[in-house]
Structure formats: structure tokens, C-alpha cells
Amino acid sequence: MRRAWLVLAREWRDSFASPLAYVLIAVFVLVQAGLFYFIGYPIGPVPMPGLWDGGQASLLTLFTWLPLSLALVVPAVTMGLWAEERRAGTEELMLTYPLQSWEWVLGKFLAAWSVVFFAVVLVTLPLAWTVAGLGPLDWSTVGLGLLGSAGLVAAYTALAMCASALTSEQLVAFLIASLVLGSLWLLRMLVGYAPAGLAGWLEAASPQAHFLDTAARGVWVTADAVYFLGLAVMGLFWNTVILERRRLQ
Amino acid sequence: MEARRKQRWKAAYATLLALGLLVQSVRLAQRHLGQRHDFSEDQLFAISPGTQAILGRLEDRLQVKAFVTADVRSGEMALIKARVEAQLKELQRLSQGRMGITFQDPSVLSAAASEAQSFGIDPLPVSTTKGGEQNLQLVSLGAVLRYRSRTEVLPWLNPWSLEVDFASAVQRLLQDEKLRLGWCGVPLAQEQAPIEYGQFLGLRERLKRRMDVVEVPVAALEAGSSIPEDLDLLLVLRPQDWHPRAVFALDQFVQRGGRVLIAFDLVASSPWGTALHATQGSEQKPSGLEALLRAWGAPLEVAHVWDTERPGIRRVIVQDLDENGQPTQQGRLDPVPDPACPMLPAAAFERTFPATARSEGVQFFWAHGFRAATPPPGVTRLDVVHSSPASYWIDLIEQTKGSVNQIEGQTRAFLASGKGQSIPLAVVLSGRFATPFQKGAPAPFDATRDERGGKVATTEETVIEGQADAQVVLVGDSDWLRDPLPGDYAPILPSASAPNLALFDNWIDWLSQEEDLIAVRSKEPRDRPLRNFQEEERRAEGLYGPDTSRTSAEMRARLERLDQADRRAARKRWLVMLWPVLSALALVFLAGGFWNWKERSSA
């Protein structure tokens, strides 16, 4: 486990030494805040107004955007994790280190997760303080919303890392991961058109159902924790398998 | 190459299998790991303590027979069904073994279908798509609740209101007898009458679903009858021109500890005269209860309330003009913000009173207000609904405004007078009341001999005073409970909207001492209004409200100040928006810059 921390430190150094992470965080903060203040969430059967139009002290609109915006941000952070190592030829060297595959996977996962979650916190908390200054904000929904976001980011990161592990092209990794995460986001919209037998499965597989209906509204549901944890563990497991295979090759 | 392709397929299958397993375990977790905790302040997603208290009062087994179509083809409907089933199971868990549920499918079992039909549980057509073709499937989602020998039916289980519907039904089952409500004021029997202004058919049907509604005709009270003592509560709608003998009957009911809700309207309106914003046919009509209200410590003002801060939107008919400037038959409905039709927000309600503690809004029309007065010893008066502090008294008829210009002119005149005040629009009185009939009971009214308004003789009958604690809710309007006008005319005047009816139900529950139901019904998201910078700046400049300037120079100066105030408000808003974003970005870039500098220095 200690060696996983070393990987984490290495990844952090690499992330914050390049301007990409800063630009990404800045764009994420600006876009999320802009959507929250002015646009609202116009997608789906129940559109939500922006902060000023709605006139209510709530961060629900901000959280509602997260499943979609993270489907772009997370792949952007994770696309280079394995693909860049392969492209630069450092993967072989990396695999000769006295570290087990799962330690590499865990270290890289924690690094990417912490960067993205840091961005989420960075946009959520200042906005929450601002909204609390404007009206009676329910802080417990903000707390649970952040906890749910942590789970959402973990699941997304683990899945997006798999895409990075499958290719040596960062762009391809980004596209595959965005497509997969975007499809997960779409599942909720398909429920209305699905036959009854499938609807329950789609709902159970949709990250929105496990985040927006519950944590983002201040409700803790154990099944949601099972979902996010399950997706994260599954993603990390596949990552380890892919890395193990490559090590054997 | 072939082996590689096979491997990839295997990997894809394995991934799909793992995903399927994960989703199935999540579904199992949803079913069996039911832990769910609502940490939010509003507690919208948790079964409320009120429902738990009602379930806790079950002494015998409550049997719920749910008539539910098992094979629902629509995905959305299947999810609704799943939510209903999950909620029923949660209620069952909370009942601690005192509630049993059985499910029957009326689409499969003909016996179940006819039983469901006998309870009025009719299937609803639900649209489904099969093989690209749109079909309709009949879906049942109702339930019958049985407790001891009593039965309650929920014809359609709506997941969004299931808790309230279920708790109300259980509460009714727990009552040994249905509550008896006396209906007085406007006639109850209007079965065949066309829907027109001033009827309360919707309200009557709503009340009939949960209690026995008994008519108490005003004519009978005037003729000397008394209000039946076995009534649990009395609803008096629009009392007008009551003879003192009827007033005496009402007073005696209260003196005996009765519970009463009175909704006033001191206007005798021709239906369409009022509806079409014209004043023809409207005249003031006293209730006849003036002396009684004074004795109770809640005198009602004949004038109406003009709330300049909270005008409600209603529509007026504007007729097109022909080339000679004469009105034609053509017209349109224009929206008008009308201070005589105030839309009262959450801030207008008394928060210490259970029945208004979480009320979010109500809309009155031509409401009367209550004057401040000291209630008699032993009676507590609580003003539970207020107009805004910028409200004024306005006499009816001639000031009744139909156009935006007239309304604005009236508002300007009021604001210039500077005599605005917050006026109580609903009052709750409780305790032992004083009677104004200490000198004796008025003689019954004899239409063949007596004249209305003439001197009334007294009789030797015993006059009761303060026999038991009574509760009275007085509301200065009855239009808020009225049926809507027919068809396109509905938006002309406010009527019994959902928030209005929720407030009414709360008052009825408070009067019938069913406060658990108030707690259950009040599960509405709390209003969390944001600061309004424009309003703040305008207020700071003394510019809030309509224009009171008289000369064009004053008007120009006012517009300039308004513009300045609005610009200041916009600047404040931008500052408020920018600081969290800029501070977040500054934090990232400063911390990142410092870290990079340190790394490079050490390298």
C-alpha cells in the first residue's frame, strides 16, 4: 500500500507540473459556475432554472450537471495515465519496478480521483458559501452531494482508466471513455422508452439515479454506495488484469 | 490474429457479464439493503413522524389488498409501480407487524378484477411501445385498506403523494365514527346546477370523501333551530345578512365548545358582473355577525385589503374596439397584477401555529381584513395570515379596478398617502368565549310577520356562556375555496387551487384535532428565497413600489434614480457571482505556482 502512495505522489507531481491540470480545473470551474448561475439544466422532462431565475438557495442545479460534465472532465484527466506511458515507452520500464500491478493501478486511480474531486470541491464549496450568503441553504444536502460526487468521480475514474489502458493514443482513450460515461448518463433518458423488464435494469445501471435522486438531495441510500463502489472496484480490477497481461507479454 | 480476436471477444463478454452482475447486485441491494436516511432539512424523502404516529395507533391488524397489474409493459410505469411497492413495504416495516399486504393482479384474475371494480379501482390506459407500434395497456394500481370492520379505498396509488394518501386513509380507519361536519351558509344541494361563480362543489366533494357532511340550513337556524351538538366541526361559508337568531345559534354552538371555520365575503355578486371586472351587480352585504365578532375580539372590516407588495396575477377581459371606438364582441384575456387579489407567500403565515407553520402560499380575492382588538378574557387571538406592511383599506365597488392603469393609479394614490399597514386576513380564536346575547336570546324570525333588519324581541330561553373551550378560525375571504369559473374564464378569478386547499385541509385538521395529518401534509420543500439586490437597492433609495411622482420632472428624476439603483444592484450581483469563481481560480493558480516554483528551486 505504501508503494501505491509513491505512485500517487509521482502522478500528482506529473499532473501539477503541466499546465493541463490547471487549465482543466479552471475551465471546469468557470463552466460549472456559468451553467449554475445562468443556464440552469434545460435537459430532460423537468428542466431546472439557473440560480437567479429559480430564486432558490439550492445547489441542485450544480449537482445535476455533474454526471454529464464529469463524463468529459474525468476522461481528460485519465486519458494520459496509461496511454501516455505506452506512447512514451516508459511503460516497460514502469513494469520492471518492484511494484505489483494493483499498486500501480491504485496509485494512479487515487491520483486522478483526487484531482477531479478537488475540482468538484473547488467549484462546490465557494458556490455553496455564496448561495448560503444569499439565502437559507441546506448544508446537509451540500455535504451529502459532495459525498455522492466522490462516489461518482471514483466510478467514472476507474472506468475511464480502463479506456486509457486499452490504447496508446490519448485522444482515442478520451473518446472511448467519454463515450462509455456519456452512455451511462444517457441510460436514465432511455428508461421512458424501454420495456418494463429493461427499465429496472437501466435505472439500476444509471449513475444519475444513484446520485441525483438521492445524494444530491441529501439522502443516503446504501444501494448507491454498493453501485459506486462496485463500478470502481470493477474498473480497477479490469485495469489490473489489463496491466497484468501486458506485464506477461 | 485469430487468437487475439477471440481474446477480445472473451474480454468483452466478461465485461458485460461483470456489468450485469454488478447491476443485479445493485438491484438486490435496493431490495434487501433498504437503508435510507434523509439528512436534508426538508425531510421530503423520509416517512414523517406524523405517519409513524398514525401507524403506531393501530391496535389490530391493518390488511392492505393491493390491486396491481403485475406485467406492466411500459418502462416508466414499471418504475412507478416499483416505487409504490417499495413505499408500501416501508410503511409495512414501520407498522411493526400490524400491517399485512397482499398483491392481486386484476388483469389475470377475473375475481380480482371484479373485486377491484366493486371498490371503484379502475385500470388506467398506459401507453406502451411494442415492435415500434404504440399500444395502450390497462394498468391497475389501487389498494383497499381494511381495519376492523371498516374499509378505505385508494383508487390510484401515486408514488409522490402515497404517504399523505395512505396516512389519511389509516387515520379515517382509526376513527370509530366518521367525523361529522356541518355545512352552513351557502346551500349544499347544488347537484344539478351549472358551474358558475360562487359555488363550492369541489370543496364539498373533497370534504365528503373524508367526513359526513351535514347541511345546517341558515333558514332553519333563523326559524329557531339550534346547530346539532353532535357535529365535530362547523363550516360556515359566506354568511350574509344573517338574522340575529341564526347568529345566536352559532354563538351557542361555540359557547358549548364547538369548532368552527367561517369564511366571509361581504359582497353580494352577480356571477358574471364580478367575473368580468365590471362593477355591475356587486353590492356590499353585511354578514349579520358583526356584533358577535366584536364580542369575540375579532371585528371584521367591510372594506377590502389592497396589498401593493403582493399583487396576484389574474386576467381581465379586454374587448376590442371598432373604428368608432365602441366595444366589439371580440376580446381577449389580459393578465393584470391586482393588489385586491393578493398572492400571499410563506412569509405571510404565522409560523408558530401548526396549521400554517409550513404553508407556502394562498391567494385571496377581495379579502376583508380584521381590525386589531383585545379579545375577551379567556380567549386567545392569533392572527395567522397577514398582508404585507404596504397594504391599505379600500372600499368596494367604485374603486374596483379592471385595467392596469386604474390599478396603478390607485396604488400610487395609496402609496402617496403613506398609511400602509400589515392587515390580518385570517384569525384563530381559542378559549372560552363571551356571548353578546347576555340580555336574552333573540326571537326566531318569522318571514310572514317580521321584517329583516327590524327590531328583534328577546325570549326567555337560557343563554349558555363559556361552557367549554372552543376553537374558531375566521378568514376574511371565501373566494379562495370556490370552484373555478368554467373553461377559458377560469384565470379571471382565483379559486380553490392546490395550495389554497392544502391550507384549508390543515385548518380543518387542526379544528378536528388531527395534527398528525398536518405534519404529514406539510411535506413541501421549504421556500428558500435568495436576496433580491434590485429590491434592496430600490428600497434603500425609497423607490420600491409604483410611481408616485406627479410632474414630468419628478418622473424623470425618479427614473434616473431607479436606473442608478438597478445598476448598483447589477454590480452587486456580479460581484457576488464572481468572487467564488475568482477565489477558486486564484487558489489553484497561486498554490500551483508556489508548488512549481518550489519544485524547480529544489531541482
Side-chain angles (χ1 to χ4, degrees):
Chain A
M1 191 65 192
R2 198 179 63 81
R3 286 178 295 196
W5 287 110
L6 292 175
V7 178
L8 167 73
R10 169 187 179 262
E11 289 298 323
W12 263 353
R13 242 191 332 271
D14 285 356
S15 298
F16 288 107
S18 86
L20 179 72
Y22 297 98
V23 173
L24 202 69
I25 291 173
V27 170
F28 179 68
V29 168
L30 284 171
V31 170
Q32 282 288 112
L35 292 168
F36 173 64
Y37 285 136
F38 304 111
I39 310 286
Y41 187 79
I43 307 166
V46 190
M48 295 169 70
L51 177 73
W52 300 111
D53 288 342
Q56 291 290 303
S58 159
L59 290 194
L60 190 57
T61 309
L62 182 79
F63 287 133
T64 309
W65 273 109
L66 277 186
L68 183 58
S69 55
L70 288 179
L72 297 171
V73 172
V74 171
V77 172
T78 57
M79 64 186 180
L81 285 181
W82 301 117
E84 182 58 18
E85 302 272 11
R86 280 177 87 182
R87 195 196 59 78
T90 50
E91 191 187 48
E92 284 87 351
L93 181 68
M94 196 186 92
L95 294 174
T96 58
Y97 287 168
L99 262 78
Q100 300 203 15
S101 297
W102 69 266
E103 287 170 323
W104 277 107
V105 170
L106 190 63
K108 278 178 179 277
F109 164 77
L110 287 174
W113 175 83
S114 54
V115 168
V116 180
F117 188 57
F118 173 63
V120 173
V121 172
L122 203 64
V123 72
T124 308
L125 284 186
L127 284 177
W129 272 310
T130 305
V131 173
L134 294 169
L137 178 70
D138 182 356
W139 277 99
S140 43
T141 58
V142 178
L144 250 289
L146 275 175
L147 189 65
S149 313
L152 184 69
V153 173
Y156 273 23
T157 305
L159 293 179
M161 276 173 66
C162 291
S164 181
L166 288 172
T167 173
S168 57
E169 289 293 330
Q170 288 199 41
L171 186 63
V172 175
F174 174 81
L175 289 175
I176 294 175
S178 303
L179 197 74
V180 170
L181 300 182
S183 310
L184 278 180
W185 173 80
L186 262 179
L187 289 180
R188 185 67 182 275
M189 298 207 162
L190 300 176
V191 165
Y193 307 98
L198 195 59
W201 283 78
L202 291 179
E203 177 100 341
S206 155
Q208 279 169 291
H210 296 287
F211 174 63
L212 295 183
D213 292 351
T214 52
R217 293 167 195 270
V219 183
W220 165 266
V221 177
T222 309
D224 295 347
V226 171
Y227 172 80
F228 287 127
L229 206 68
L231 268 188
V233 168
M234 193 181 85
L236 294 178
F237 174 74
W238 280 122
N239 249 279
T240 313
V241 170
I242 293 168
L243 203 64
E244 274 296 307
R245 283 190 60 80
R246 204 159 291 147
R247 197 192 279 266
L248 290 174
Q249 280 167 5
Chain B
M1 198 66 182
E2 186 62 27
R4 218 181 152 91
R5 192 179 299 143
K6 268 187 182 168
Q7 265 180 359
R8 280 186 184 161
W9 276 113
K10 273 185 191 166
Y13 287 141
T15 309
L16 274 178
L17 187 68
L19 258 178
L21 278 173
L22 174 67
V23 173
Q24 185 53 32
S25 18
V26 170
R27 296 187 74 186
L28 285 172
Q30 280 172 334
R31 232 168 275 164
H32 302 292
L33 287 178
Q35 282 98 335
R36 186 184 175 90
H37 193 85
D38 189 348
F39 288 95
S40 68
E41 285 174 6
D42 293 347
Q43 291 289 300
L44 296 177
F45 305 96
I47 300 287
S48 78
T51 304
Q52 293 181 39
I54 291 170
L55 288 174
R57 288 207 292 274
L58 289 170
E59 288 170 354
D60 284 333
R61 197 167 169 78
L62 169 72
Q63 193 56 47
V64 179
K65 192 181 238 185
F67 294 95
V68 178
T69 305
D71 180 25
V72 176
R73 290 198 288 275
S74 153
E76 222 159 2
M77 197 62 223
L79 290 180
I80 288 176
K81 189 185 117 190
R83 286 196 185 108
V84 164
E85 286 172 354
Q87 284 190 55
L88 284 177
K89 281 181 183 158
E90 188 162 3
L91 289 165
Q92 185 181 26
R93 187 177 60 78
L94 288 171
S95 76
Q96 297 175 336
R98 279 168 291 189
M99 172 177 154
I101 307 179
T102 53
F103 287 91
Q104 287 207 343
D105 184 354
S107 65
V108 176
L109 300 167
S110 58
S114 54
E115 191 182 354
Q117 203 178 16
S118 71
F119 284 114
I121 299 174
D122 296 321
L124 289 186
V126 174
S127 174
T128 60
T129 311
K130 196 174 183 183
E133 268 186 39
Q134 283 275 349
N135 291 306
L136 285 180
Q137 184 195 10
L138 290 174
V139 176
S140 299
L141 192 60
V144 176
L145 282 65
R146 286 200 180 92
Y147 182 70
R148 294 179 177 161
S149 58
R150 295 161 219 154
T151 304
E152 280 287 333
V153 180
L154 298 174
W156 185 260
L157 300 170
N158 181 348
W160 315 118
S161 63
L162 181 63
E163 187 192 342
V164 176
D165 297 342
F166 192 88
S168 307
V170 175
Q171 179 78 348
R172 288 194 292 273
L173 288 173
L174 285 168
Q175 284 160 356
D176 288 332
E177 281 177 10
K178 256 185 166 183
L179 285 176
R180 276 168 65 79
L181 175 129
W183 176 285
C184 189
V186 295
L188 182 60
Q190 291 173 319
E191 307 286 348
Q192 302 304 319
I195 296 170
E196 58 176 28
Y197 175 78
Q199 289 195 324
F200 300 88
L201 301 180
L203 186 72
R204 185 194 63 184
E205 289 310 311
R206 189 182 182 85
L207 288 168
K208 273 189 170 174
R209 278 200 290 272
R210 49 182 297 206
M211 45 187 84
D212 285 331
V213 180
V214 181
E215 181 155 25
V216 180
V218 182
L221 300 181
E222 290 181 340
S225 303
S226 54
I227 297 170
E229 284 184 35
D230 62 344
L231 290 181
D232 293 292
L233 59 154
L234 179 72
L235 173 64
V236 182
L237 284 169
R238 196 177 279 174
Q240 287 183 347
D241 213 7
W242 274 26
H243 185 268
R245 180 68 196 195
V247 181
F248 172 72
L250 175 63
D251 174 66
Q252 293 299 287
F253 181 70
V254 172
Q255 302 300 340
R256 289 196 299 266
R259 300 193 177 94
V260 185
L261 190 154
I262 310 177
F264 291 92
D265 242 329
L266 309 181
V267 182
S269 310
S270 93
W272 297 104
T274 309
L276 303 184
H277 77 71
T279 56
Q280 74 264 23
S282 295
E283 58 170 295
Q284 283 175 345
K285 204 149 200 183
S287 64
L289 274 64
E290 290 75 17
L292 187 69
L293 295 181
R294 274 197 303 277
W296 287 355
L300 182 69
E301 182 59 48
V302 177
H304 297 270
V305 175
W306 190 267
D307 191 336
T308 59
E309 263 187 29
R310 296 163 178 169
I313 302 291
R314 68 181 186 94
R315 289 179 184 267
V316 296
I317 294 178
V318 177
Q319 281 174 303
D320 295 339
L321 302 178
D322 62 14
E323 59 269 19
N324 302 319
Q326 295 302 311
T328 64
Q329 293 299 311
Q330 302 295 316
R332 62 185 188 279
L333 286 169
D334 273 2
V336 171
D338 189 349
C341 172
M343 176 69 91
L344 301 174
F349 295 94
E350 174 57 46
R351 292 313 199 195
T352 59
F353 181 57
T356 50
R358 295 192 71 176
S359 296
E360 291 298 325
V362 66
Q363 187 169 26
F364 290 137
F365 178 65
W366 285 10
H368 307 273
F370 292 88
R371 291 278 183 193
T374 312
V379 176
T380 315
R381 167 176 163 167
L382 186 63
D383 300 342
V384 290
V385 185
H386 304 260
S387 66
S388 79
S391 301
Y392 302 83
W393 297 106
I394 181 168
D395 286 330
L396 179 64
I397 325 287
E398 65 270 26
Q399 285 95 341
T400 305
K401 307 303 177 187
S403 76
V404 178
N405 286 343
Q406 285 173 318
I407 287 173
E408 285 192 349
Q410 182 65 63
T411 301
R412 271 199 297 277
F414 273 140
L415 289 172
S417 75
K419 290 179 184 165
Q421 58 179 306
S422 177
I423 300 171
L425 298 170
V427 169
V428 171
L429 301 167
S430 30
R432 296 197 179 210
F433 287 64
T435 178
F437 298 99
Q438 279 155 344
K439 289 181 184 164
F445 174 65
D446 182 351
T448 57
R449 211 180 55 201
D450 300 341
E451 264 187 39
R452 269 184 193 276
K455 199 169 181 320
V456 181
T458 54
T459 64
E460 295 297 313
E461 282 174 69
T462 316
V463 177
I464 300 166
E465 186 167 29
Q467 196 178 67
D469 280 346
Q471 287 163 330
V472 177
V473 177
L474 303 171
V475 192
D477 184 40
S478 70
D479 289 304
W480 64 294
L481 296 171
R482 188 180 45 71
D483 296 332
L485 290 173
D488 293 344
Y489 294 106
I492 290 176
L493 295 176
S495 54
S497 60
N500 288 7
L501 289 172
L503 178 64
F504 174 78
D505 285 345
N506 281 351
W507 273 334
I508 291 290
D509 288 339
W510 180 74
L511 286 170
S512 50
Q513 296 177 323
E514 293 184 0
E515 293 192 13
D516 285 334
L517 279 185
I518 299 176
V520 177
R521 193 177 302 112
S522 303
K523 279 177 71 173
E524 294 286 329
R526 182 184 148 195
D527 187 30
R528 300 171 183 276
L530 295 179
R531 267 175 75 185
N532 187 336
F533 290 114
Q534 194 183 43
E535 191 183 312
E536 281 174 12
E537 288 299 320
R538 286 183 173 197
R539 266 188 205 283
E541 279 284 327
L543 293 166
Y544 194 71
D547 188 1
T548 54
S549 49
R550 294 175 193 278
T551 64
S552 58
E554 274 178 15
M555 205 178 288
R556 267 200 305 280
R558 181 189 152 85
L559 282 176
E560 205 169 300
R561 284 169 62 209
L562 267 177
D563 196 37
Q564 282 172 358
D566 289 354
R567 264 184 298 189
R568 272 200 307 277
R571 209 175 308 135
K572 268 188 177 176
R573 213 160 100 157
W574 272 105
L575 273 177
V576 160
M577 284 194 287
L578 283 178
W579 95 257
V581 178
L582 293 181
S583 56
L585 294 181
L587 178 75
V588 173
F589 285 109
L590 282 176
F594 176 72
W595 182 77
N596 269 290
W597 170 77
K598 223 177 124 192
E599 282 285 299
R600 275 172 207 181
S601 312
S602 62

